[in-house]
Amino acid sequence: MEVNVVKKDWRKVDLRFAFVYPNVYRVGMSSFTTQLLYFLLNSREDVACERCFLPYQRNVSPISLESGRGLRDFDVIGFTLQFETDYVNVVDILRRSGIPLYTKDRSERDPLIIAGGPCAWENPEPVSDFFDLFIIGDAEAVLDKFIDVFLEVKKPRENLEVFAEIEGIYVPSLGKHYVKRAWIRKLDDCPHPIAEVIPQVDENSSFAPVFGKSFLLEATRGCSRGCSFCLIGFQNRPMRARSFEFLRKLIDEGPKFSGVNKVSLIGSAVADHPNFEDLCWYVVDSGFELSVPSLRIDGFSESIAETLIKGGQKTVTFAPEAGTFRLRQIVNKPFTDEQILSAISIAKECGIKHVKLYFIVGLPNETEEDLKSITDLIRKIIELGYSARDLHVSITPFIPKPHTPFQWVAQLPLKEIRRRLNFLVSDLRKLGLNYIDYLDPRWAKIQAALSLGDRRLGKLIEYVAEHGNNLGTWRRAQKIFNIDLTRYVDEARSLDKELPWSHIDVGV
Ligand code: SF4
C-alpha cells in the first residue's frame, strides 16, 4: 500500500515506460532518483511510467507495481545504475522477464532497454552489450528529447543512430563514440516532486525506506570539492544548489502532499548548500523531523547540531577518510585532527548520541602510521566523552574510480588489503568498539573491476546472474571465460593508453 501512486490508462498514452531500480523495493524506494524519474516521466501526458524492482523471491518474474504487467509489455525499460553491484541484478531482471539479454539479439518487438545514473557515466562498458543506449548526465537535460525522438521514429531499434545525435546519449552498438555529459546548470529550472510515493508500512518493515517515511528534498546536486578518490567529485561538477526560496516552498508543501512528518535532505554535498543552516532550521521550525545524511567537518556548528537534535536525528556522520593530516591532504580532504575533534566535541556538547565515521583503507601513499592514526583519532574521540558503544566506524577498501585523479592507480593486492584491514579492525576492537563494518576486500576487488573494466566483463556478469551472485560463482566465471579480474585492478593503468571510459566526457 502506497500513497501518491500514478495509474494511467494505457490506451490514452503514446509511451509505456518501466522505470526499473535493479534492487529490492526498500533500496529503490530510498532513492531520490526513483521519486524524480517517476515524477518527471508521469508529468508528460503522453507517457505512463510505472515502477519495477528486483523481486524479493528468486525466480519470480518482475512486474510493475502500478498495473502488475510484465516488463515485456512496455515500450521502454529504463534502469537506473546507482551501484556497480546492481549490474548482476539488471541481467537477472531481463532474464526473468524473458527479454533477450543482448542488444544484438533483440528485435523491434522487444522494449528498448536504456540506462542512466552515475555508473552509466562512470564507465558503461562492462554492461554496454546489455543496453540499447545510455543517458550520460542529468535526466532533465536528455529525457524529453529522447522521448520525442522515440515517438517520432517508426522503428527505434533500427534507427539507434538517431538517438546518438542527442547530446548525452551513448549508443554502444555503434561502437565507442564520443559522448559529452548533458547537465543542468540551474537546479531551480528543474521541477521537483511534491507528492512523493510513500509506502504505508511500519517503520520496521522490510519495505520501509532507509530514511523512514520521509519527504526526500534534493537541495544540491554534484560536488565541487574534488576529493581525489571520489567519483561524484569529478563526474558531477559543479555543485548546484536549489535556492533557499525554492526549497522553502517545497518544505511548505512536500511533506503535506506526501503525508509525512519528516524531511530528508538529499545531495552528495548537501552541507555545502549556501543556506544549509537556515534550511535545517526551516525544516525543524516548520515542525518536521530532519534527516541529514552526512555533514561537513569544517562547517559543523552548535546551531546545526541543535537543529539535528530538535529534528530528532541522534547520529551525526563525518567522513575523515584517512588517519593523518598528511594523507588527508594527499586525497584533497585536508582537515586537521583539531577540526575533526572540534566538530565531534560540538556534537557531544549539544547532546548528539552517536557518531558515525567513514575511513578508506589502502589509499595511495598510505603508511602503517596512517592506519595507527585512525585508532589514535578514535581514542581521542572517546576522550571527548563518547563511549566506544556510541561510535560506529565504517571502512571501505580503496577502489580507484574512472574520471578521478586516481583512475590510473592500482588497487593493492588482495592479501595486502586484508592485512591492513585486519590490523585496523583488531586495533579498533581493542578500544571496545562494537560497531565496525567493512566491505569484504574480495567484493571490493569485484566492484573495482566493474568500475574499471571493459566489454569483456559482460559474459561474467551474465554467468553470475544465472548461477547466483556469490564469491564462488565470480571465481568460477573468471576460470570459465579465462578473464582474471585482478588484471583490471591490480595493475596501474598507463598514462598514454586509452582507458575503457575515455570516450565519456564528464567535463563541464
Ligand atoms: S567525498 Fe564528499 S566532499 Fe569529497 S568530492 Fe565526494 S561528495 Fe564531495
Side-chain angles (χ1 to χ4, degrees):
M1 202 26 209
E2 300 171 307
V3 295
N4 294 327
V5 175
V6 180
K7 288 186 183 176
K8 291 192 181 177
D9 183 342
W10 278 30
R11 289 164 303 181
K12 295 188 178 150
V13 295
D14 301 321
L15 176 74
R16 289 141 291 262
F17 191 110
F19 169 80
V20 185
Y21 193 106
N23 209 311
V24 294
Y25 178 87
R26 173 183 163 83
V27 179
M29 287 306 290
S30 303
S31 167
F32 177 69
T33 303
T34 303
Q35 300 285 358
L36 180 66
L37 269 292
Y38 190 63
F39 163 73
L40 289 175
L41 287 158
N42 277 319
S43 300
R44 286 185 64 130
E45 285 201 357
D46 52 357
V47 177
C49 171
E50 305 196 356
R51 290 160 302 144
C52 185
F53 302 94
L54 180 73
Y56 280 84
Q57 308 89 339
R58 277 195 71 77
N59 295 322
V60 168
S61 298
I63 53 170
S64 76
L65 298 192
E66 283 71 11
S67 66
R69 288 180 166 95
L71 290 180
R72 283 199 66 86
D73 293 344
F74 289 82
D75 303 308
V76 177
I77 301 176
F79 285 87
T80 181
L81 303 178
Q82 300 285 324
F83 303 101
E84 300 85 1
T85 40
D86 287 340
Y87 292 171
V88 170
N89 296 340
V90 168
V91 175
D92 192 18
I93 287 170
L94 292 175
R95 189 178 55 82
R96 293 199 215 181
S97 302
I99 295 169
L101 301 184
Y102 291 96
T103 180
K104 65 176 171 50
D105 299 327
R106 292 180 200 133
S107 73
E108 211 60 67
R109 287 194 310 276
D110 295 308
L112 203 71
I113 313 293
I114 72 171
C119 297
W121 354 334
E122 173 195 29
N123 173 19
E125 290 311 305
V127 281
S128 61
D129 287 340
F130 304 120
F131 288 102
D132 298 317
L133 62 87
F134 291 94
I135 291 183
I136 310 291
D138 292 328
E140 295 94 331
V142 187
L143 212 49
D144 276 331
K145 289 177 211 156
F146 161 74
I147 292 170
D148 292 342
V149 171
F150 182 90
L151 293 175
E152 244 173 69
V153 176
K154 294 237 160 30
K155 293 185 170 174
R157 189 172 296 286
E158 274 178 28
N159 293 287
L160 285 174
E161 70 283 351
V162 182
F163 294 99
E165 285 165 22
I166 303 172
E167 184 173 74
I169 289 195
Y170 174 45
V171 180
S173 56
L174 301 178
K176 280 188 178 183
H177 59 89
Y178 173 81
V179 193
K180 179 138 184 71
R181 161 192 164 224
W183 62 287
I184 292 292
R185 278 155 180 77
K186 214 167 159 234
L187 271 193
D188 276 8
D189 292 342
C190 300
H192 186 293
I194 292 181
E196 295 184 355
V197 181
I198 308 289
Q200 299 304 293
V201 294
D202 189 78
E203 297 277 333
N204 300 320
S205 155
S206 58
F207 293 96
V210 175
F211 304 116
K213 284 192 265 183
S214 70
F215 178 72
L216 304 182
L217 180 71
E218 189 199 38
T220 64
R221 192 178 294 182
C223 181
S224 302
R225 292 209 163 212
C227 305
S228 318
F229 56 85
C230 175
L231 179 65
I232 302 288
F234 286 90
Q235 73 160 192
N236 201 355
R237 337 173 76 169
M239 190 272 278
R240 288 140 288 156
R242 289 188 199 268
S243 70
F244 186 36
E245 196 192 353
F246 190 108
L247 293 169
R248 272 202 312 248
K249 280 192 200 137
L250 284 169
I251 295 165
D252 291 342
E253 304 198 335
K256 189 169 68 198
F257 284 104
S258 306
V260 293
N261 200 29
K262 182 175 181 181
V263 175
S264 297
L265 302 186
I266 302 296
S268 328
V270 73
D272 280 349
H273 190 284
N275 305 98
F276 178 65
E277 200 174 310
D278 295 335
L279 186 59
C280 293
W281 276 114
Y282 195 80
V283 172
V284 295
D285 285 345
S286 304
F288 300 123
E289 286 177 45
L290 171 68
S291 168
V292 184
S294 85
L295 292 152
R296 263 173 64 167
I297 287 166
D298 52 348
F300 194 62
S301 65
E302 281 174 20
S303 175
I304 292 172
E306 272 175 46
T307 60
L308 296 178
I309 299 228
K310 218 170 155 193
Q313 188 165 324
K314 295 186 177 67
T315 304
V316 285
T317 304
F318 295 110
E321 320 286 7
T324 58
F325 179 60
R326 183 198 67 88
L327 190 53
R328 290 194 289 269
Q329 267 184 317
I330 289 175
V331 301
N332 201 24
K333 224 174 181 182
F335 300 122
T336 60
D337 282 10
E338 289 70 34
Q339 282 176 300
I340 297 168
L341 293 170
S342 156
I344 294 173
S345 122
I346 290 172
K348 180 69 193 161
E349 278 160 27
C350 293
I352 301 272
K353 294 256 182 296
H354 308 283
V355 177
K356 183 169 184 186
L357 297 154
Y358 283 99
F359 291 97
I360 301 174
V361 159
L363 280 164
N365 296 304
E366 182 185 74
T367 63
E368 213 78 0
E369 185 57 33
D370 295 308
L371 290 177
K372 283 186 195 147
S373 299
I374 294 178
T375 313
D376 291 343
L377 192 62
I378 302 295
R379 190 177 294 112
K380 287 179 193 157
I381 293 171
I382 293 173
E383 281 163 17
L384 291 176
Y386 276 109
S387 86
R389 283 194 315 278
D390 299 329
L391 301 178
H392 181 162
V393 173
S394 187
I395 311 165
T396 321
F398 165 64
I399 296 176
K401 288 285 181 181
H403 308 292
T404 68
F406 288 160
Q407 65 181 344
W408 294 279
V409 174
Q411 196 181 37
L412 289 173
L414 185 60
K415 239 174 145 182
E416 181 56 18
I417 304 179
R418 203 178 268 144
R419 188 191 70 76
R420 294 188 192 196
L421 196 56
N422 289 345
F423 171 80
L424 177 59
V425 170
S426 68
D427 221 21
L428 288 170
R429 290 230 165 94
K430 286 182 204 148
L431 298 178
L433 255 69
N434 284 342
Y435 301 107
I436 306 171
D437 67 64
Y438 51 86
L439 177 64
D440 185 320
R442 292 170 296 180
W443 282 113
K445 284 277 164 209
I446 292 168
Q447 262 189 42
L450 293 174
S451 282
L452 303 162
D454 53 30
R455 289 194 188 189
R456 285 177 301 165
L457 297 193
K459 283 278 168 212
L460 271 71
I461 296 169
E462 182 194 350
Y463 181 88
V464 172
E466 197 177 337
H467 295 89
N469 190 3
N470 56 59
L471 290 165
T473 321
W474 275 102
R475 253 193 320 270
R476 263 202 314 283
Q478 291 177 72
K479 272 201 191 127
I480 291 169
F481 297 104
N482 197 21
I483 296 174
D484 179 3
L485 289 186
T486 58
R487 268 204 48 240
Y488 291 94
V489 292
D490 286 15
E491 291 167 20
R493 278 151 290 282
S494 159
L495 281 175
D496 50 14
K497 258 199 177 163
E498 200 181 299
L499 299 163
W501 52 91
S502 293
H503 56 303
I504 306 292
D505 179 355
V506 296
V508 290

